[in-house]
């Protein structure tokens, strides 16, 4: 495939974003492209997942190269020609670019396959909050497409274009989403003593919860507790009976996540008792800490140096991120590595004015191709 074809494909995906497990148009395009390249794509895992396999020149080990496909429920802000055509959804994390780069790698490797073994190209749905990687694993990904190693790649704003970064060990945080339901007693705003104001209790929870990190967590242990939505009330003269809060906790340490969960539950019980309300805390959609294994990180670094080279263009020990990635589910099952590809000075991930930089597509393809040849070469000694 020509670069111009991949750029056009990426912009088309960007203009038509699809949310988790609704990537029907996207998976159709992916499957059609793979078929045109001579692959026989398999479909249906995790509803919209697509997998294609490439046999090397002779028998050998197998690896998975994974790209995510889903968009986010964000209203895009921008004036470029390929802006989202669908209100309230956009590719704010670059999964459109990830998909285009892995398709480009599938095209390049079809022409020049590795010496031995098998490459499984995995196009995964539902990364954004849907744990699509776990769904694919639970539905038999590793049984249908056996692989000894797994690899992922994510674009990274702030990292210079043409550069790449990774690290051995924890590279992205584990996390839980949470839902907090507060039920009090509604009353007239002029008679607060006759009610149990759920809104003020919710406000107290927002404030007190921050102390779980600033005063209860070890300062040397990275942790984040963010309350992201707060819904209460219907008008300006009624104290609301209910309030609902949603958010997330993140840490690079599994025990710290459990400590935060226990602290939030304890705080809810205390506030409920103090204010004579009921508070229910639910934790859901856990993502594991994304942990790169040492040998596979070394393989990734070798491929990165081949792909982007240059002094200072490969960062071997990047600072971990407190964002979460469901690629961690694959890394719980197989050794592997997640790497970052510089997206330059773009807006941050998940921002309404973010856009994937198409100039990095060749770098991503070069990395995938170099990695496949590095992992699946005869007499491998790394």
């Amino acid at each position: 495939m020509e670069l111009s074809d991949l750029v056009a494909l990426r912009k088309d995906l960007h203009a038509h974003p699809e949310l988790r497990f609704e990537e029907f148009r996207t998976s159709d395009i992916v499957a059609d492209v793979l078929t045109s390249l001579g692959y026989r794509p398999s479909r249906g895992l995790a509803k919209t997942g697509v997998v294609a396999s490439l046999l090397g020149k002779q028998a050998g080990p197998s690896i998975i190269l994974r790209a995510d496909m889903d968009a986010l429920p964000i209203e895009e802000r921008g004036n470029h020609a390929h802006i989202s055509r669908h209100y309230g959804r956009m590719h704010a994390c670059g999964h459109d670019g990830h998909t285009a780069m892995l398709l480009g790698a599938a095209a390049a490797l079809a022409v020049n396959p590795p010496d031995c073994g098998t490459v499984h190209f995995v196009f995964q749905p539902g990364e954004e909050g849907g744990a699509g990687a776990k769904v694919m694993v639970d539905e038999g990904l590793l049984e249908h497409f056996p692989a000894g190693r797994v690899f992922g790649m994510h674009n990274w704003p702030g990292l210079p274009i043409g550069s790449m970064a990774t690290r051995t060990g924890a590279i992205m945080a584990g996390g839980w989403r949470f839902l907090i339901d507060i039920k009090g007693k509604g009353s007239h705003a002029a008679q607060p003593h006759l009610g149990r104001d759920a809104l003020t209790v919710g406000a107290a929870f927002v404030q007190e919860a921050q102390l779980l990190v600033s005063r209860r967590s070890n300062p040397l242990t990275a942790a984040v507790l963010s309350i992201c939505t707060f819904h209460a009330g219907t008008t300006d003269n009624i104290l609301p009976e209910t309030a609902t809060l949603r958010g997330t906790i993140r840490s690079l340490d599994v025990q710290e996540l459990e400590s935060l969960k226990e602290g939030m539950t304890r705080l809810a019980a205390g506030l409920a008792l103090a204010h004579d309300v009921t508070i229910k805390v639910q934790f859901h959609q856990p993502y594991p800490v994304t942990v790169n294994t040492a040998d596979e990180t070394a393989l990734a670094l070798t491929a990165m140096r081949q792909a982007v080279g240059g002094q200072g263009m490969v960062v071997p020990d990047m600072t971990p991120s407190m964002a979460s990635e469901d690629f961690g589910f694959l890394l719980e099952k197989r050794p592997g590595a997640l790497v970052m590809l510089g997206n330059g000075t773009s807006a941050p991930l998940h921002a309404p004015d973010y856009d994937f930089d198409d100039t990095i597509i060749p770098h991503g393809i070069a990395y995938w191709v170099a990695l496949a040849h590095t992992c699946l070469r005869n007499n491998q000694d790394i």
Side-chain angles (χ1 to χ4, degrees), residues 304-325:
M304 290 158 67
R305 294 183 181 107
Q306 293 174 13
V308 297
Q311 185 68 27
M313 299 307 287
V314 173
V315 181
D317 192 20
M318 68 172 283
T319 301
S321 170
M322 295 302 289
S324 296
E325 238 286 356

Side-chain angles (χ1 to χ4, degrees), residues 204-214 225 227 260 264 267:
F205 193 101
V206 172
Q207 293 294 321
E208 292 292 326
Q210 300 310 308
L211 297 179
L212 294 174
V213 173
S214 66
L225 190 161
I227 295 174
L260 288 173
M264 291 179 67
L267 173 59

Side-chain angles (χ1 to χ4, degrees), residues 331-344:
L331 289 172
E332 287 185 323
K333 299 296 184 180
R334 297 290 187 273
L338 177 72
V339 305
M340 306 306 181
L341 175 64
N343 203 54

Side-chain angles (χ1 to χ4, degrees), residues 124-184:
Q124 178 212 304
E127 192 281 326
E128 298 291 357
K134 183 178 187 301
V135 177
M136 292 191 85
V137 168
D138 289 346
E139 293 184 2
L141 172 67
L142 296 173
E143 288 72 37
H144 295 302
F145 304 96
R149 289 169 167 146
V150 296
F151 296 93
M153 176 168 55
H154 205 294
N155 80 94
W156 209 242
L159 191 66
I161 288 174
S163 64
M164 300 187 74
T166 192
R167 72 188 313 272
T168 300
I171 188 170
M172 298 189 78
W176 290 78
R177 308 288 181 97
F178 59 77
L179 168 65
I180 301 168
D181 285 314
I182 303 171
K183 185 173 182 181

Side-chain angles (χ1 to χ4, degrees), residues 46-47 80 82 85 90 103 115 139 161 164 168 177 179 212 225 230 243 249 255 268 323 325 361 373:
K47 196 173 183 179
H80 48 77
H82 56 279
R85 309 289 195 269
M90 70 168 288
L103 285 172
D115 290 336
E139 293 184 2
I161 288 174
M164 300 187 74
T168 300
R177 308 288 181 97
L179 168 65
L212 294 174
L225 190 161
F230 190 147
I249 54 175
Q255 290 184 337
E325 238 286 356
I361 290 176
H373 284 284

Side-chain angles (χ1 to χ4, degrees), residues 85-277:
R85 309 289 195 269
H86 303 275
Y87 179 81
R89 6 193 261 254
M90 70 168 288
H91 271 293
C93 205
H95 297 183
D96 49 347
H98 300 169
T99 300
M101 289 188 293
L102 191 56
L103 285 172
L109 287 167
V111 175
N112 180 24
D115 290 336
C116 63
T118 303
V119 181
H120 299 301
F121 303 95
V122 175
F123 296 85
Q124 178 212 304
E127 192 281 326
E128 298 291 357
K134 183 178 187 301
V135 177
M136 292 191 85
V137 168
D138 289 346
E139 293 184 2
L141 172 67
L142 296 173
E143 288 72 37
H144 295 302
F145 304 96
R149 289 169 167 146
V150 296
F151 296 93
M153 176 168 55
H154 205 294
N155 80 94
W156 209 242
L159 191 66
I161 288 174
S163 64
M164 300 187 74
T166 192
R167 72 188 313 272
T168 300
I171 188 170
M172 298 189 78
W176 290 78
R177 308 288 181 97
F178 59 77
L179 168 65
I180 301 168
D181 285 314
I182 303 171
K183 185 173 182 181
K185 181 180 178 182
S187 69
H188 196 292
Q191 298 174 310
H193 59 293
L194 300 179
R196 298 290 182 268
D197 181 8
L199 192 154
T200 55
V201 176
F205 193 101
V206 172
Q207 293 294 321
E208 292 292 326
Q210 300 310 308
L211 297 179
L212 294 174
V213 173
S214 66
R215 290 297 177 268
R216 301 291 294 180
S217 296
N218 185 333
L220 299 179
T221 302
V224 172
L225 190 161
S226 294
I227 295 174
C228 302
T229 71
F230 190 147
H231 297 287
T234 57
T235 190
D236 58 5
N237 66 344
I238 301 173
L239 294 178
E241 180 173 337
T242 63
T244 302
L245 288 68
R246 295 176 184 269
T248 182
I249 54 175
R250 307 290 173 95
S251 180
L252 297 165
D253 184 279
V254 174
Q255 290 184 337
E256 182 62 28
L257 288 171
E258 293 303 313
S259 178
L260 288 173
K261 288 169 61 183
E262 189 276 331
M264 291 179 67
T265 303
R266 187 176 63 248
L267 173 59
L271 287 173
L273 179 64
H275 297 283
D276 192 22
V277 299

